[in-house]
Structures are given as structure tokens and as C-alpha cells.
Coordinates of all heavy atoms in Angstrom, one line a residue:
L21 N -52.7 15.2 30.3 CA -51.7 16.0 30.9 C -50.3 15.3 31.1 O -49.7 15.4 32.2 CB -52.2 16.5 32.3 CG -53.5 17.4 32.2 CD1 -54.0 17.8 33.6 CD2 -53.2 18.6 31.3
N22 N -50.0 14.5 30.2 CA -48.7 13.7 30.2 C -47.5 14.7 30.1 O -47.6 15.8 29.6 CB -48.7 12.6 29.2 CG -48.8 13.2 27.8 OD1 -47.9 13.6 27.1 ND2 -50.1 13.2 27.2
P23 N -46.4 14.2 30.5 CA -45.2 15.1 30.5 C -44.8 15.6 29.1 O -44.4 16.8 28.9 CB -44.0 14.2 31.0 CG -44.8 13.2 31.9 CD -46.1 12.9 31.2
Y24 N -45.0 14.8 28.1 CA -44.7 15.2 26.7 C -45.5 16.4 26.3 O -45.1 17.3 25.7 CB -44.7 14.0 25.7 CG -44.4 14.4 24.3 CD1 -43.1 14.6 23.9 CD2 -45.4 14.7 23.4 CE1 -42.7 15.0 22.6 CE2 -45.1 15.1 22.1 CZ -43.7 15.3 21.7 OH -43.4 15.6 20.4
A25 N -46.9 16.2 26.5 CA -47.8 17.3 26.1 C -47.5 18.6 26.8 O -47.6 19.6 26.3 CB -49.2 16.8 26.3
L26 N -47.2 18.4 28.1 CA -46.9 19.6 28.9 C -45.6 20.3 28.4 O -45.5 21.6 28.4 CB -46.7 19.3 30.4 CG -48.0 18.8 31.1 CD1 -47.7 18.4 32.5 CD2 -49.1 19.8 31.1
M27 N -44.7 19.5 28.0 CA -43.4 20.0 27.4 C -43.6 20.8 26.1 O -43.2 21.9 25.9 CB -42.4 18.9 27.2 CG -41.1 19.4 26.7 SD -40.0 18.0 26.3 CE -39.9 17.2 27.8
V28 N -44.5 20.3 25.2 CA -44.9 21.0 24.1 C -45.7 22.2 24.4 O -45.5 23.3 23.7 CB -45.7 20.1 23.1 CG1 -46.2 20.8 21.9 CG2 -44.9 18.9 22.7
G29 N -46.5 22.2 25.4 CA -47.2 23.4 25.9 C -46.2 24.5 26.3 O -46.4 25.7 25.9
V30 N -45.2 24.2 27.0 CA -44.2 25.2 27.5 C -43.5 25.7 26.2 O -43.2 26.9 26.1 CB -43.2 24.5 28.5 CG1 -42.1 25.5 28.8 CG2 -44.0 24.2 29.8
T31 N -43.2 24.8 25.3 CA -42.4 25.2 24.1 C -43.3 26.1 23.3 O -42.8 27.1 22.6 CB -42.0 24.0 23.2 OG1 -41.3 23.1 24.0 CG2 -41.3 24.4 22.0
T32 N -44.6 25.9 23.2 CA -45.5 26.8 22.5 C -45.6 28.2 23.1 O -45.6 29.2 22.4 CB -46.9 26.2 22.4 OG1 -46.8 24.9 21.9 CG2 -47.8 27.0 21.6
V33 N -45.6 28.2 24.4 CA -45.6 29.5 25.1 C -44.3 30.2 24.8 O -44.3 31.5 24.5 CB -45.7 29.3 26.7 CG1 -45.4 30.6 27.4 CG2 -47.1 28.7 27.1
A34 N -43.2 29.5 24.8 CA -41.9 30.2 24.5 C -41.9 30.7 23.0 O -41.4 31.8 22.8 CB -40.7 29.2 24.6
L35 N -42.5 30.0 22.1 CA -42.6 30.4 20.7 C -43.4 31.6 20.6 O -43.0 32.6 19.9 CB -43.1 29.3 19.9 CG -43.5 29.6 18.4 CD1 -42.2 30.0 17.6 CD2 -44.2 28.4 17.7
F36 N -44.5 31.7 21.2 CA -45.5 32.8 21.2 C -44.9 34.0 21.9 O -45.1 35.2 21.5 CB -46.8 32.5 21.7 CG -47.7 31.5 20.9 CD1 -48.8 31.0 21.3 CD2 -47.2 31.2 19.6 CE1 -49.6 30.1 20.5 CE2 -47.9 30.4 18.8 CZ -49.1 29.8 19.3
M37 N -44.1 33.8 22.9 CA -43.4 34.9 23.6 C -42.4 35.5 22.6 O -42.3 36.8 22.5 CB -42.6 34.4 24.8 CG -43.5 34.1 26.0 SD -42.6 33.3 27.3 CE -41.4 34.5 27.7
M38 N -41.7 34.7 21.9 CA -40.7 35.2 21.0 C -41.4 36.0 19.8 O -41.0 37.0 19.4 CB -39.8 34.1 20.4 CG -38.8 34.5 19.4 SD -37.8 33.1 18.7 CE -39.1 32.4 17.6
H39 N -42.4 35.3 19.2 CA -43.1 35.8 18.1 C -43.8 37.2 18.4 O -43.8 38.1 17.7 CB -44.1 34.8 17.6 CG -44.7 35.2 16.3 ND1 -44.0 35.2 15.1 CD2 -46.1 35.5 15.9 CE1 -44.8 35.6 14.1 NE2 -46.1 35.7 14.6
G40 N -44.4 37.2 19.6 CA -45.1 38.4 20.1 C -44.2 39.6 20.3 O -44.4 40.7 20.0
S41 N -43.0 39.3 21.0 CA -42.1 40.3 21.3 C -41.5 40.9 19.9 O -41.2 42.1 19.8 CB -41.0 39.8 22.2 OG -40.3 38.7 21.6
I42 N -41.3 40.0 18.9 CA -40.8 40.5 17.6 C -41.8 41.4 17.0 O -41.5 42.5 16.4 CB -40.5 39.3 16.7 CG1 -39.3 38.5 17.2 CG2 -40.2 39.7 15.3 CD1 -39.0 37.3 16.5
Y43 N -43.1 41.1 17.1 CA -44.1 41.9 16.5 C -44.2 43.3 17.2 O -44.4 44.3 16.6 CB -45.5 41.2 16.7 CG -46.7 42.0 16.0 CD1 -46.8 42.0 14.7 CD2 -47.5 42.7 16.8 CE1 -47.8 42.6 14.0 CE2 -48.6 43.4 16.2 CZ -48.7 43.4 14.8 OH -49.7 44.0 14.2
V44 N -44.0 43.3 18.6 CA -43.9 44.6 19.3 C -42.7 45.4 18.8 O -42.9 46.6 18.6 CB -43.8 44.3 20.8 CG1 -43.6 45.6 21.6 CG2 -45.1 43.6 21.3
V45 N -41.6 44.8 18.6 CA -40.4 45.5 18.0 C -40.7 46.1 16.7 O -40.4 47.2 16.4 CB -39.2 44.6 18.0 CG1 -38.1 45.2 17.2 CG2 -38.7 44.2 19.4
M46 N -41.4 45.3 15.9 CA -41.7 45.8 14.5 C -42.7 46.9 14.5 O -42.6 47.8 13.6 CB -42.3 44.6 13.7 CG -42.5 44.9 12.3 SD -43.1 43.5 11.3 CE -44.7 43.3 12.0
K47 N -43.6 47.0 15.5 CA -44.7 47.9 15.5 C -44.5 49.2 16.4 O -45.3 50.1 16.3 CB -45.9 47.3 15.9 CG -46.4 46.2 15.0 CD -46.9 46.7 13.6 CE -48.1 47.5 13.7 NZ -48.5 48.0 12.4
T48 N -43.3 49.2 17.1 CA -43.1 50.3 18.0 C -41.8 51.0 17.8 O -41.0 50.6 17.0 CB -43.2 49.8 19.5 OG1 -42.1 48.9 19.7 CG2 -44.5 49.2 19.8
Q49 N -41.6 52.1 18.5 CA -40.4 52.9 18.4 C -40.1 53.5 19.8 O -41.0 53.5 20.7 CB -40.5 54.0 17.3 CG -41.6 55.0 17.6 CD -41.7 55.9 16.4 OE1 -40.8 56.0 15.6 NE2 -42.8 56.8 16.4
G50 N -38.9 54.1 19.9 CA -38.6 54.8 21.2 C -38.3 53.8 22.3 O -37.8 52.6 22.1
P51 N -38.5 54.2 23.6 CA -38.2 53.3 24.7 C -38.8 51.9 24.7 O -38.2 50.9 25.1 CB -38.7 54.1 25.9 CG -38.7 55.6 25.4 CD -39.0 55.5 24.0
L52 N -40.1 51.9 24.3 CA -40.8 50.6 24.2 C -40.1 49.7 23.2 O -40.0 48.5 23.5 CB -42.3 50.8 23.9 CG -43.1 49.5 23.8 CD1 -43.1 48.8 25.2 CD2 -44.6 49.8 23.5
H53 N -39.7 50.2 22.1 CA -39.0 49.4 21.1 C -37.7 48.9 21.7 O -37.5 47.7 21.4 CB -38.8 50.3 19.9 CG -37.9 49.7 18.8 ND1 -36.5 49.7 18.9 CD2 -38.3 49.0 17.7 CE1 -36.1 49.1 17.8 NE2 -37.1 48.6 17.1
D54 N -37.0 49.7 22.3 CA -35.7 49.2 22.9 C -35.9 48.2 24.0 O -35.2 47.2 24.1 CB -35.0 50.4 23.5 CG -34.6 51.4 22.5 OD1 -34.5 51.1 21.3 OD2 -34.4 52.6 22.8
Q55 N -37.0 48.3 24.8 CA -37.2 47.3 25.8 C -37.7 46.0 25.2 O -37.3 44.9 25.6 CB -38.3 47.8 26.7 CG -38.6 46.9 27.9 CD -39.7 47.5 28.9 OE1 -40.3 48.5 28.6 NE2 -39.9 46.8 30.0
A56 N -38.5 46.1 24.2 CA -39.0 44.9 23.4 C -37.9 44.1 22.8 O -37.9 42.9 22.7 CB -40.0 45.3 22.4
R57 N -36.8 44.8 22.3 CA -35.6 44.1 21.8 C -35.0 43.2 22.8 O -34.5 42.1 22.5 CB -34.7 45.1 21.2 CG -35.1 45.8 19.9 CD -34.0 46.8 19.4 NE -32.8 46.0 19.1 CZ -32.5 45.5 17.9 NH1 -33.5 45.5 17.0 NH2 -31.4 44.9 17.6
N58 N -35.0 43.6 24.0 CA -34.5 42.7 25.1 C -35.4 41.6 25.4 O -34.9 40.5 25.6 CB -34.3 43.5 26.4 CG -33.2 44.6 26.3 OD1 -32.2 44.4 25.6 ND2 -33.4 45.7 27.0
W59 N -36.7 41.8 25.2 CA -37.6 40.7 25.3 C -37.3 39.7 24.3 O -37.5 38.4 24.5 CB -39.1 41.2 25.2 CG -39.5 42.1 26.2 CD1 -38.9 42.4 27.5 CD2 -40.7 43.0 26.2 NE1 -39.6 43.4 28.1 CE2 -40.7 43.8 27.4 CE3 -41.7 43.2 25.2 CZ2 -41.7 44.7 27.7 CZ3 -42.7 44.1 25.6 CH2 -42.7 44.9 26.7
V60 N -37.0 40.1 23.1 CA -36.8 39.2 21.9 C -35.6 38.2 22.3 O -35.7 37.0 22.1 CB -36.5 39.9 20.6 CG1 -36.1 39.0 19.5 CG2 -37.8 40.7 20.2
H61 N -34.5 38.8 22.8 CA -33.3 38.0 23.1 C -33.6 37.0 24.2 O -33.2 35.8 24.0 CB -32.2 39.0 23.5 CG -31.6 39.7 22.4 ND1 -31.9 41.1 22.2 CD2 -30.7 39.5 21.5 CE1 -31.3 41.5 21.1 NE2 -30.5 40.6 20.7

């Protein structure tokens, strides 16, 4: 649980947040699609 490993852990969470929100944008439409686009940014 050293600082570098924890930093990479946070970066991985950020990467998956971005990737997952992009997938939601790609798979949805309407209000959820518009909200997910804000998640991507």
C-alpha cells in the first residue's frame, strides 16, 4: 500500500470511470445519453 501503488490505483479508477461512461454514451439515448456525456467530460 505504498503511495505509488495507491496513485496508480486512483488513476485506474479514473480510467475506468471514463471508459465506462463512454460505453454508456454509446449504448443509450435520450436523457440518460445526455447525462452520460457530462460524465465523460
Side-chain angles (χ1 to χ4, degrees):
L21 299 177
N22 58 82
Y24 180 80
L26 295 176
M27 183 184 300
V28 177
V30 173
T31 303
T32 305
V33 171
L35 173 62
F36 288 172
M37 286 171 60
M38 179 184 71
H39 191 65
S41 58
I42 291 173
Y43 185 76
V44 173
V45 168
M46 185 178 67
K47 297 294 291 182
T48 59
Q49 57 183 353
L52 180 58
H53 174 274
D54 297 336
Q55 184 179 7
R57 286 182 64 85
N58 293 327
W59 297 346
V60 172
H61 288 99

